[in-house]
Amino acid sequence: MRQAWRNAAGFVDRHRDYVRAAGTLDAVYFFSCVGDRLWAFSIGLFIADLGGMAWVALGQLLDSLIKLVLLPLLGDFLDRSQRHRGMQIILLCNNTFIALSAVSFFLSLSKIFDERTTIMLLVFALLLNALSRVASEAQKAAFMKDWIIVIVADSKVGKLSTHNTVCSAIDQIAAFSAPFLSGLCMEAIGRPQTAIAFMCWNLLSWLIEAIVIRHLYNNTPALHARDNKDTPADSTAEPVSNSCTLASSAVSVYFRQKCFRPAFALSLLFMTVLGFDNIAIAYGDGQGLSPATLGKFRSAGALLGFMGVWTYKFLDVRKVHVVAIGAIGLILQNVFLNLTTISIFLPGNDFDFGGYVDNNTVSTWYEASYSAIFHAKKKEGMVEEKSFDWIFANSPSLLFFFLGITGARFGLWMADPAIQEIMQETIPEKERYRVNLMQNALQECFSVLKDILVIAFPLAATFGGLIVMSTTFVFAGLLLYLSYFVTEGFPCRRRKSRPEEAEMARIELKVTEPGVHAELADLLEKGDLEGEAPLQTNRTDGL
């Protein structure tokens, strides 16, 4: 152990600039993730309190539609902007919109206005939150898909897998702690006041992030320039001229990438109600589960996600191919999600699509799904809140459902950083924002389709059909990814990463005329090589 600490201290001392830059970026990412996770979990409960699962789906639909439209535009802008300027702009937008959204939630939760005004405030809050999510996605893309790649490549000693692990672990730690912190805050000061508290947190973190990012940028020269060389030979993407329209620029560049299939497989996973997002939380809330019980399940899912991230790193250290790691993760995810399908047929499940169609009119559908009076009665005690012990003893359907979506987090968070690494290694630098934000837009496209279905069928009687739809799309993503795995030649052992290949190319000896290569002559003069005569060669393709 002592020797390991000495080795770590020696590494830090030898590569101080790299450790400083990477550590600073990880610290900023931590602040960003904590703020995003706290806010995302809280607004799920805010919306569920005001309107139930149908309004949660409406909010997510608005979120997805705005991302679908704006993310490709933002990606094109960031690809053509100075890194620091672009980052500061998205930081400003993200935190400003969150602050305004928090004020709107505070006013609507305070119930000081009539129902019509409350609904208008809720819609305004959802719109502002959706705009903040656009900026947040761009911010994460900058951290994970651009800045860290430049820092690792510039260091010559860093590994993308290490930083993917650290950043994913940070995200899962934030996801684990957010339910506890949000719950404690709501119990201590109330939901309206919690919205204001999180607004203050985001404004404080914005100030810290802006200062630290400026310091990092000024002290990392590699971030000041972009690679304008032609597309690497190992990528099928082609250079895009500035005269291309936005649509052809973002879409055509994305679909010509070598990593298209694993990236698109990842986007298919967003066509699901089993992602432990606000829809799953609202479903549990509608079944009478207490916030504490929902928080326990969500925190357990985050803990398993954390374990999945470190399993990804463990396999990477053992030289398992990154494509194989992704395949293992997606298979495990599908295995656990099948528990949710089983839950449809267990006692306690309300799925009855035929009865729902036969017995519901537009009027009854609206009353049950969107009426504020219905949800007000529920909150007043018409539905008893149930604990984890009650679920375990009395509702195998709910137990299997939440065990399924909780356990699936392990496989998902093995696969997610693996696919991200595949994208990091294959996407050319000058196309990173367009491709990655186009990827986010595709994910939102599938999320839009899912939200539309939830809006149309928001009750427990139809939720089983949404479960079957979700598992089908997740399985389709697995099949698409396995097709990439097969064409890669069933990879098992680790290949060299793009930074490692670039380093090998950098030190390759390229001789253009007969004679002694300069590097070899330098080694001979220093006595690092033994030999009686200088090496003569006419080769031009390296030694």
Side-chain angles (χ1 to χ4, degrees), residues 157-179:
V157 295
K159 294 185 65 178
L160 285 174
S161 61
T162 299
H163 290 281
N164 290 342
T165 301
V166 171
C167 290
S168 297
I170 288 172
D171 195 23
Q172 291 308 299
I173 290 171
F176 176 80
S177 58

Side-chain angles (χ1 to χ4, degrees), residues 524-543:
L524 286 169
E525 289 176 2
K526 293 179 179 178
D528 293 327
L529 289 178
E530 296 181 357
E532 298 180 354
L535 179 65
Q536 305 288 326
T537 179
N538 290 323
R539 293 184 61 185
T540 61
D541 58 346
L543 297 176

Side-chain angles (χ1 to χ4, degrees), residues 505 507-513 517 519 539-543:
I507 65 174
E508 190 178 48
L509 304 180
K510 294 183 180 296
V511 183
T512 57
E513 60 182 42
H517 190 276
E519 293 184 21
R539 293 184 61 185
T540 61
D541 58 346
L543 297 176

Side-chain angles (χ1 to χ4, degrees), residues 308-325:
V309 169
W310 284 103
T311 302
Y312 151 78
K313 181 57 182 175
F314 173 82
L315 295 176
D316 176 78
V317 170
R318 295 299 184 276
K319 304 298 182 183
V320 177
H321 201 292
V322 65
V323 179
I325 298 174

Side-chain angles (χ1 to χ4, degrees), residues 230-273:
D230 290 340
T231 304
D234 61 342
S235 172
T236 57
E238 297 178 2
V240 180
S241 67
N242 293 340
S243 62
C244 290
T245 64
L246 175 63
S248 63
S249 175
V251 176
S252 64
V253 168
Y254 176 84
F255 283 100
R256 284 202 288 260
Q257 297 298 315
K258 182 180 180 180
C259 62
F260 156 68
R261 278 177 292 170
F264 195 76
L266 183 63
S267 69
L268 288 174
L269 305 187
F270 284 74
M271 185 69 177
T272 178
V273 296

Side-chain angles (χ1 to χ4, degrees), residues 392-425:
F392 190 82
N394 299 284
S395 182
S397 174
L398 279 177
L399 181 64
F400 268 63
F401 174 79
F402 280 101
L403 286 179
I405 64 175
T406 300
R409 309 305 288 176
F410 179 81
L412 173 64
W413 283 98
M414 278 182 63
D416 183 86
I419 295 174
Q420 298 297 342
E421 185 177 347
I422 293 170
M423 296 174 68
Q424 288 168 335
E425 292 180 351

Side-chain angles (χ1 to χ4, degrees), residues 92-103:
L92 171 65
C93 294
N94 184 18
N95 290 278
T96 300
F97 289 133
I98 285 180
L100 295 174
S101 179
V103 172

